[in-house]
Amino acid sequence: MLQFIAPPLPHFTTCGEDTYLAGGKHADRSGIGVFDLLVVTRGGLYMAEDDLPVVVPAGGFGLLRPDRAHRTTEPCREETHFYWLHFQTLGDWRESDPANPASLPQLSESGYSTLVPFAHYLPQSGMLQSPDAAYSRLRRLLALQAEMSAASHWRRQLLFQELLLQLHEETSLPAGGSYLAIAEEAAAFLRRHFRETFTYKTMSDELHFHANYISLCMKRAYGCTPLDYLTRYRIEQAKRLLVDTDDAVGSIAENVGFGSFPHFVRCFGRLAGTTPKAFRMRFRRPYKAPHASANEACP
């Protein structure tokens, strides 16, 4: 299972399709610098990435890393048709190893940032639950590849993201990595309900896990408790309102879920390193009345 951190999302590079007769082999390559996604429609590919077998039957997919050697371990047993797609990411990615878990990204604690980092996962092989939907997206990508307009580039990226989302949703984390899924589900719950009064019981009832277990999952994944995560998210929303609106600071504190104004100011100072008012002034230019033009004579 590979974990990708966004933003930025992975980006599409190129794609194609190929058909091998019985006895045909996929090319052996090493360190090609891009992820290689293989989607087989009929037949089967028998490959390995270093010493890890990657077998892709009809209706399945295989994902080869950009930094390892991959080779054919067995020729095709029958005529095999498959799509291939290359992509890359400028963001962080890593193997999701239950024995050496990777922490998920935390929210920013300084500056004006509304980015909410998240992780998504792709297994190195699996079966498609809706293969026809994946084939349709790949055929459309191939058709768009012949067009060179800016709009076609945009549509290719959107189609590619739809394909990745399908792979993400149709596969699940391994049992050893379930804490990551619980932590992300808890984080999503906190973002949805950040304006409401938080209780561990409400979160526990919503997610159907004991509050202590949810806290352990979030500490392991994000390095903070659910309440710490919620506070950081509320402060990020307050920063946005301070810059984008003229609402009173007290009103903003209430809007983002703080029941106590002094508590809001303390949390803001601890996480942003300044007061809400000073933060607003840092990103707001003072209003200056326009000067009268030379042609406008005074009465």
Side-chain angles (χ1 to χ4, degrees):
M1 184 74 69
L2 299 180
Q3 179 195 69
F4 295 83
I5 302 299
L9 290 166
H11 58 272
F12 168 84
T13 304
T14 186
C15 66
E17 63 178 326
D18 212 338
T19 300
Y20 294 162
L21 299 177
K25 295 182 178 181
H26 189 281
D28 295 348
R29 293 182 293 198
S30 178
I32 63 174
V34 291
F35 292 90
D36 190 4
L37 176 64
L38 305 171
V39 178
V40 176
T41 65
R42 65 177 183 271
L45 294 173
Y46 306 89
M47 305 184 65
E49 183 181 82
D50 288 345
D51 296 326
L52 175 68
V54 182
V55 178
V56 190
F61 68 91
L63 179 60
L64 304 175
R65 292 171 50 146
D67 57 344
R68 289 183 177 174
H70 52 260
R71 57 187 173 82
T72 295
T73 58
E74 181 183 335
C76 295
R77 300 172 184 174
E78 56 186 307
E79 183 179 274
T80 297
H81 174 266
F82 65 97
Y83 295 100
W84 57 268
L85 184 150
H86 292 169
F87 70 92
Q88 189 51 282
T89 180
L90 299 177
D92 291 334
W93 67 274
R94 66 200 72 177
E95 221 172 76
S96 182
D97 181 3
N100 185 24
S103 296
L104 296 174
Q106 298 186 21
L107 294 171
S108 169
E109 292 190 1
S110 62
Y112 176 54
S113 172
T114 56
L115 294 178
V116 180
F118 65 94
H120 55 101
Y121 303 87
L122 295 174
Q124 287 212 260
S125 61
M127 295 301 295
L128 296 163
Q129 296 179 24
S130 305
D132 288 341
Y135 303 160
S136 174
R137 290 187 173 105
L138 286 161
R139 286 194 296 268
R140 289 157 64 193
L141 278 167
L142 278 170
L144 283 169
Q145 196 161 237
E147 301 179 18
M148 300 304 295
S149 67
S152 67
H153 284 287
W154 198 335
R155 291 190 184 98
R156 286 199 294 271
Q157 297 302 330
L158 292 174
L159 267 174
F160 169 62
Q161 299 304 334
E162 290 177 5
L163 179 63
L164 286 194
L165 181 60
Q166 179 184 345
L167 297 181
H168 173 80
E169 290 181 338
E170 291 188 358
T171 54
S172 58
L173 286 169
S178 61
Y179 79 92
L180 292 171
I182 294 171
E184 290 187 302
E185 190 177 353
F189 167 81
L190 294 170
R191 294 194 297 269
R192 287 196 305 271
H193 301 281
F194 74 94
R195 291 188 177 90
E196 303 168 15
T197 300
F198 170 76
T199 67
Y200 277 95
K201 183 180 185 306
T202 301
M203 181 180 66
S204 178
D205 291 343
E206 176 79 13
L207 302 182
H208 306 293
F209 288 99
H210 194 280
N212 289 344
Y213 182 64
I214 297 172
S215 294
L216 287 173
C217 290
M218 289 204 72
K219 285 180 181 177
R220 190 177 178 190
Y222 289 100
C224 63
T225 66
L227 187 56
D228 288 338
Y229 184 95
L230 176 62
T231 301
R232 292 173 183 173
Y233 188 76
R234 284 171 169 171
I235 293 301
E236 287 301 311
Q237 300 309 302
K239 291 177 183 178
R240 180 179 60 81
L241 293 173
L242 286 166
V243 174
D244 294 343
T245 75
D246 293 319
D247 295 349
V249 176
S251 176
I252 289 175
E254 184 178 353
N255 184 287
V256 299
F258 283 92
S260 165
F261 182 72
H263 180 57
F264 166 69
V265 174
R266 286 196 300 271
C267 290
F268 197 97
R270 176 168 57 86
L271 295 175
T274 186
T275 65
K277 182 178 179 180
F279 182 88
R280 168 175 272 172
M281 296 306 297
R282 187 195 308 171
F283 296 96
R284 301 285 287 271
R285 292 183 179 180
Y287 174 75
K288 293 183 179 181
H291 295 289
S293 66
N295 294 329
E296 293 178 350
C298 296

